[in-house]
Amino acid sequence: MARQNATMGDDLPSLLLLPPPPHPATRPALNAAYEPPLKAVISKLKNEKGGKDGAVLIAALVSPVLTGTSVRQKSLSWPNTQSILADLYSIISVICAQLSVATDIHAGPGSVDVRIVLVDYDLARPLVTDSKPAIEPNNTVVVDLATFASAYHPWKYIFHPNNEPGYQLLSAYLKLFEGVQTLKQSQLIVVDGGLSVSIGPPVPAQSSTQTSPHSIVCLGGTFDHLHPGHKLLLTAAVLLLKVPEKDASQPCQFIIGITGDELLKRKKYAEWVQPWDERATNTLKFLTTILELSKDGWKKGRGPQVTKDNDEFVALFRDGTIKVRCVVIQDAYGPTITTENMDALVVSGETRSGGHAVNERRKELGWHPLEIFEVDVLDAEGIVHRSAETRDFATKISSTAIRKQKAESRT
């Protein structure tokens, strides 16, 4: 007996199952494999114009991203993983620019809020289905396919590519999803599979240099009108977390410095800057997609309890093992020079100099430097079908461009 029946409500998210990336995972190869299915799905969801906040699409990239035989000793190659994420979000941004689809959270009817979730699963290995799907987190934020099936539901639609890996992945997923949601045939939609070309045998994940995880990771930004660039930064940052066991004395921490309202008053189109509370709330809502695990899915409303304390929002995920703090920042350094006990700082190519400045200041304070991790910047490299929309897509997804568009739409 199914635990719940699906409703076709406009507020339900949809799922796109993406098979493992081709190897080597060059940008042109990723574009050939993933641009067709992503474009087909985004176009369909845009045209439905359902829901006052627009559509939400969870793009599950299913690949053997983790190494390690024990559930508490998993690891990944952060440089390789964030690079693929950056390429995927770049492809998504180009598609949305071409289709004139807004990409920020709660952007209104016709918008598509695409969120990438990494799922650890190897299609080459036989699926073990003798045990009931259960939520079994590991020491990273990446979940396996059984946990994903158990915690992410119900769906409006489930899309999959029209190719052998796409059908193979759908079959494995539906076996684990049995009894979670009763699906109508019309909710299972096949889309263009693209062209996945691999050269030589796949490189085992364990052959790449594995990244040491950290207990406290920090990131800063404005996070105004949360868009794909922000989503990439946030996702890449939480991949660095070392998640403790349920009964650990201390959770791991993700500290997000979010620029205070006062510092943004001179921004272009400042009247359209979202208030700090709204920017922090949207940041936590996005992170919920990656961090929250509940057997009820989003049936009872997905999201943690958020407490407000001394100009910061605090949320706990995964039975209190992950603590996320959204902190108001009023200068270039934020909590990195007020809190000594930190391990890692995540920056982009655009904020690289700020990371070095932080460590110089910490050195002056006699504190240990933070290990700096740089996330790739979104770009249109490797996109075959170039157009005016493709060439200037980067400006279309900036917070300033989003505010400009909103201002102009009201005049």
Side-chain angles (χ1 to χ4, degrees), residues 344-370:
L345 176 65
V346 177
V347 301
S348 70
E350 298 165 336
T351 59
R352 181 189 305 131
S353 60
H356 294 312
V358 162
N359 273 341
E360 285 298 317
R361 187 74 182 95
R362 286 177 66 89
K363 184 179 179 181
E364 293 172 8
L365 293 169
W367 295 355
H368 69 269
L370 301 178

Side-chain angles (χ1 to χ4, degrees), residues 58-77:
I58 307 297
L61 180 61
V62 184
S63 176
V65 65
L66 298 179
T67 65
T69 55
S70 167
V71 73
R72 301 303 314 170
Q73 295 180 327
K74 299 292 185 181
S75 63
L76 54 78
S77 170

Side-chain angles (χ1 to χ4, degrees), residues 273-316:
V273 172
Q274 295 171 322
W276 188 92
D277 283 19
E278 185 176 357
R279 288 181 281 128
T281 298
N282 286 341
T283 299
L284 289 173
K285 282 182 178 178
F286 172 76
L287 287 172
T288 296
T289 305
I290 303 169
L291 302 180
E292 183 77 351
L293 297 177
S294 168
K295 65 180 179 61
D296 294 319
W298 32 84
K299 183 180 179 183
K300 297 179 180 177
R302 195 175 180 90
Q305 284 293 109
V306 178
T307 57
K308 302 179 183 180
D309 182 32
N310 294 329
D311 285 335
E312 71 175 69
F313 285 3
V314 179
L316 295 174

Side-chain angles (χ1 to χ4, degrees), residues 112-140:
V112 184
D113 172 9
V114 187
R115 308 178 185 187
I116 300 170
V117 174
L118 294 174
V119 179
D120 182 51
Y121 179 69
D122 189 350
L123 285 177
R125 295 186 178 182
L127 179 68
V128 179
T129 56
D130 54 351
S131 60
K132 200 170 185 180
I135 295 174
E136 187 180 18
N138 53 59
N139 60 306
T140 78

Side-chain angles (χ1 to χ4, degrees), residues 185-233:
Q185 193 61 40
S186 59
Q187 290 175 269
L188 295 172
I189 301 176
V190 60
V191 292
D192 190 346
L195 180 63
S196 184
V197 178
S198 294
I199 301 173
V203 178
Q206 59 267 27
S207 66
S208 301
T209 301
Q210 300 297 287
T211 304
S212 297
H214 294 276
S215 297
I216 304 178
V217 176
C218 188
L219 172 68
T222 61
F223 299 101
D224 184 38
H225 298 285
L226 201 84
H227 56 63
H230 298 135
K231 296 172 187 178
L232 169 62
L233 274 172

